[in-house]
Amino acid sequence: MAQPEKQGTAETGLGIEARLRAVFRRQPELHRFVIQDKAGIADHIDRQSLAGELFITQITLYPRRGTKQYDEVYADIAGAITQVVAELPEALRLLAGKTFVRALH
């Protein structure tokens, strides 16, 4: 039988995976993105001026069609992450430092 803590982590992982797979399905041009906490942000960025705990970086789109497309994809990722953290607060610690990449079969 799974330990309660490990079972909760597994369930959280499945919840995160399901939400982010849905983002990739809705955004076929999205190939990857990274979720970082303040410690993972590039040195040239003033971390003190940042609000929030998680940051979406390194979004890769192909084909890239401009700023409007980028903004829509960013909003979709941010919405999914916000929703999963609201429903599963332990996801906050699991997401930081993770790279999400489209799986090609």
Side-chain angles (χ1 to χ4, degrees):
M1 181 179 241
Q3 295 175 347
E5 183 178 308
K6 288 186 178 184
Q7 183 177 355
T9 300
E11 290 172 5
T12 301
L14 291 173
I16 293 168
E17 183 179 346
R19 300 284 175 156
L20 297 178
R21 280 183 188 255
V23 172
F24 280 103
R25 277 193 305 275
R26 289 190 300 271
Q27 305 293 341
E29 60 283 331
L30 176 62
H31 286 263
R32 82 172 192 138
F33 62 93
V34 177
I35 310 254
Q36 296 177 305
D37 59 10
K38 283 186 182 182
I41 298 293
D43 290 337
H44 69 277
I45 297 174
D46 177 16
R47 292 180 182 100
Q48 299 303 317
S49 67
L50 297 175
E53 296 183 59
L54 296 176
F55 304 91
I56 303 163
T57 63
Q58 302 178 33
I59 296 173
T60 303
L61 303 173
Y62 184 81
R64 184 149 184 192
R65 296 186 190 91
T67 303
K68 182 179 179 195
Q69 175 203 28
Y70 180 90
D71 291 346
E72 289 171 358
V73 170
Y74 180 90
D76 199 359
I77 297 167
I81 291 169
T82 299
Q83 189 172 24
V84 79
V85 169
E87 293 174 9
L88 305 164
E90 62 275 17
L92 191 62
R93 69 178 173 77
L94 297 174
L95 284 167
K98 300 289 189 276
T99 300
F100 295 90
V101 180
R102 176 180 296 283
L104 302 176
H105 298 278

